[in-house]
Amino acid sequence: MGMKVNHHYQEVKESYLFAEIAKRIREWQEKNQDKASQLIRMGIGDVTRPLPREVVKALKAASDEMGIAESFHGYGPEQGYDFLREEIQSYYKRFSVCLEKEEIFISDGAKSDLGNILDLFDRGITALVTDPVYPVYVDTNIMQGNTILYARAGEENGFLPMPDPSVKADLIYLCSPNNPTGAVYDRVGLAAWVNYAKAQNAVILFDAAYECFVEGDLPHSIYEIPGAKECAIEFCSFSKKAGFTGTRCGYTVVPDKLVFSGQSLRKMWLRRQTTKFNGVSYIVQKAAAAVFTEQGEKEILENIQYYKENAKTIMATLDSLGIYYTGGKNSPYVWMKCPDGMDSWSFFDKLLNEVYVVGTPGAGFGEAGEGFFRLTAFSTHEKTKEAMKRLKTLLGR
C-alpha cells in the first residue's frame, strides 16, 4: 500500500486569508503601476516601529558573548533560560498572578504554540471558537480532524459571546483583546468562561498576545480569574508588545494545577517540547529579557502609545462618519461595520481601487465577520491620517 497523507488538510481553505489579500494587491499593482506608491496598508498585523534601542543593545551584547569561548552558549534549556522566565514571573505579579518558574515555557511565538498545543490532546475532539475568529485556531483543528463549534459574536453582544451551557466542548479558544474585533472581556465575562470550562471539564486556550494594549481594570491574564489555573493555558508573545514579529519570541503558561484524565498537562507539554523543540536562541532570549528593564519598558510604552494614537485617529474618523465599530481603545485593531450594507470583500475592493487603501475583510475571519472590516493601528501617524482622510472622501461625508 502507498503512503497516505493527512486528508484533513484538504478541508482547510486553499487560500489563507492573508495570501488572498496579497494576491489581490499584486494584481492591483500590476494594473496600476503609476499609483503603486500611493498604496497605504491598514490591514497589516505586523508592527512598523523598530525594536526598542534597549532590546537592540541586548541583542548586540549577547551576539558578542556568542563569539567568545568563555561566554558561548550552545543548546539551552528547551523550556527557556531562567533569567527570562523569572522576568515573566515578576511581570505577572503586577496583576496579582503568582506563577511558578516551571509553569512558563519560552517559545518562538504564540502562533507556533497555539498549533503545537494540540499534540497534547486526542484527535477528533471538539473545539469551541468564537466567530469571527483568528484563522489559526480553526485551521489547526481542521488539520487534526477535530470538530469545530462556533460561539457567534456580533453587535448584539458587543462581539463578546458568552458560554452556552447546552454546548459541549473539549477545548475553548478565547482571545482577549480579540483579533480581529479588538473587543476585551471584563472579569465577569472571563469568570463565566472559566466556570463553564470547569463544568464541561474542558481546557481554555487563552490567547493574550495583545494584553499590553489593555487599559484600566480589564484583565491582562486569564489567571486573574479565580479557578483559571485549573482549566486554562495562556499564550503570549513579544511580537506586538516589543516588535518581535521578525525576531520571534513568546511564551506559554501551563499551570501545575492543570490536570486532565489524571495527567499533568504541564509535564506533558514539557515532554513535548523536549522532544520536538530545541529552544529559543540565547541571543533572542537576552533581547526579550531587556523588554522588562526600566529603560526597555519606557521605550516599549512609547511605541505602544504611538500605535494607540493611530487607533484614536481611526476611531475619531469612524465616529465622525457614524460608523459602528469595536476595539481601538484596548487593542491595535478597530473592527468597523462596512458602510451602506456592503459585504466585506466588496468594501475591500472599493477601498483598494478607489482610494488605494488596504484593510482586512471580516468575512475572512468567519461567517459572523461578513459585513465587517478590520483596520489596524500598526502604521505610521502620517499614513494613518492620510488613510482616514481618503476614507472620508470615499464615503462623501
Side-chain angles (χ1 to χ4, degrees):
M1 292 179 65
M3 181 178 71
K4 294 182 179 180
V5 299
N6 184 346
H7 70 276
H8 295 297
Y9 277 64
Q10 299 168 9
E11 299 168 35
V12 176
K13 290 181 181 177
E14 183 176 340
S15 180
Y16 187 52
L17 169 61
F18 301 106
E20 175 62 23
I21 290 172
K23 173 176 170 288
R24 294 195 185 204
I25 292 172
R26 280 196 307 272
E27 291 172 350
W28 179 86
Q29 288 173 323
E30 289 169 4
K31 295 175 184 175
N32 301 275
Q33 294 183 14
D34 58 323
K35 302 185 182 87
S37 63
Q38 300 178 51
L39 189 72
I40 299 178
R41 298 174 186 267
M42 296 293 292
I44 53 174
D46 200 354
V47 293
T48 53
R49 304 292 293 165
L51 287 170
R53 292 183 299 277
E54 195 70 8
V55 168
V56 174
K57 182 178 165 185
L59 270 173
K60 289 179 178 179
S63 297
D64 288 339
E65 286 185 61
M66 295 295 280
I68 301 170
E70 291 76 16
S71 55
F72 170 76
H73 288 77
Y75 290 125
E78 292 92 340
Q79 62 270 43
Y81 285 99
D82 283 351
F83 62 77
L84 179 54
R85 298 162 88 195
E86 288 166 2
E87 291 289 356
I88 293 168
Q89 258 186 309
S90 297
Y91 181 68
Y92 271 81
K93 285 180 182 176
R94 300 181 195 182
F95 315 121
S96 301
V97 174
C98 293
L99 298 176
E100 297 299 323
K101 188 171 57 181
E102 290 73 25
E103 297 175 319
I104 300 166
F105 296 80
I106 310 302
S107 73
D108 63 354
K111 187 175 185 179
S112 300
D113 282 1
L114 279 161
N116 293 333
I117 200 73
L118 293 179
D119 281 358
L120 305 191
F121 305 100
D122 281 343
R123 294 192 171 208
I125 61 176
T126 299
L128 175 64
V129 302
T130 58
D131 180 11
V133 66
Y134 182 42
V136 171
Y137 309 158
V138 174
D139 291 350
T140 51
N141 275 281
I142 290 174
M143 291 171 184
Q144 288 286 105
N146 294 341
T147 299
I148 301 172
L149 303 177
Y150 295 90
R152 190 176 180 87
E155 288 182 75
E156 69 281 359
N157 53 28
F159 283 92
L160 291 168
M162 299 303 289
D164 179 349
S166 68
V167 175
K168 308 298 180 185
D170 301 302
L171 298 178
I172 302 161
Y173 286 80
L174 296 177
C175 180
S176 181
N178 186 268
N179 179 14
T181 69
V184 188
Y185 280 106
D186 60 17
R187 295 176 192 282
V188 173
L190 280 187
W193 279 107
V194 167
N195 292 336
Y196 167 77
K198 293 176 81 170
Q200 296 278 348
N201 198 33
V203 177
I204 294 174
L205 304 180
F206 189 77
D207 185 346
Y210 302 95
E211 62 81 20
C212 60
F213 289 88
V214 169
E215 297 178 0
D217 190 44
L218 293 168
H220 288 250
S221 166
I222 196 165
Y223 301 125
E224 295 178 54
I225 308 303
K229 286 186 179 180
E230 297 161 19
C231 66
I233 297 172
E234 183 160 292
F235 305 82
C236 206
S237 167
F238 295 102
S239 287
K240 309 302 161 60
K241 180 184 180 71
F244 274 57
T245 54
T247 309
R248 308 309 305 144
C249 193
Y251 55 89
T252 292
V253 179
V254 189
D256 261 330
K257 292 181 179 179
L258 196 52
V259 177
F260 278 78
S261 302
Q263 297 291 318
S264 163
L265 294 193
R266 186 194 68 78
K267 290 180 180 177
M268 289 176 68
W269 184 241
L270 175 62
R271 187 68 182 90
R272 188 267 173 207
Q273 293 297 80
T274 53
T275 301
K276 290 189 173 184
F277 185 55
N278 263 335
V280 175
S281 74
Y282 173 76
I283 295 170
V284 168
Q285 290 193 59
K286 288 296 281 188
V291 166
F292 299 100
T293 63
E294 184 178 350
Q295 182 61 26
E297 290 200 331
K298 179 175 177 291
E299 293 169 6
I300 284 162
L301 184 59
E302 288 172 0
N303 285 346
I304 291 171
Q305 290 303 325
Y306 184 95
Y307 295 133
K308 287 198 168 191
E309 283 299 315
N310 286 340
K312 287 178 182 176
T313 298
I314 297 169
M315 290 189 291
T317 301
L318 297 181
D319 284 338
S320 71
L321 294 169
I323 293 175
Y324 171 87
Y325 64 89
T326 58
K329 184 179 180 183
N330 296 290
S331 166
Y333 298 122
V334 180
W335 180 253
M336 63 173 283
K337 191 171 186 177
C338 295
D340 305 319
M342 296 182 71
D343 67 74
S344 300
W345 282 106
S346 293
F347 186 57
F348 174 91
D349 290 335
K350 186 176 180 67
L351 264 183
L352 175 61
N353 293 318
E354 297 188 30
V355 293
Y356 326 136
V357 173
V358 175
T360 310
F365 296 101
E367 287 184 13
E370 181 58 88
F372 287 85
F373 204 75
R374 193 189 76 175
L375 296 173
T376 87
F378 292 131
S379 188
T380 64
H381 286 342
E382 296 74 22
K383 289 184 177 179
T384 301
K385 289 174 183 176
E386 176 60 25
M388 293 303 98
K389 180 181 173 183
R390 293 184 196 178
L391 180 61
K392 278 189 174 182
T393 301
L394 175 69
L395 299 180
R397 302 173 192 174

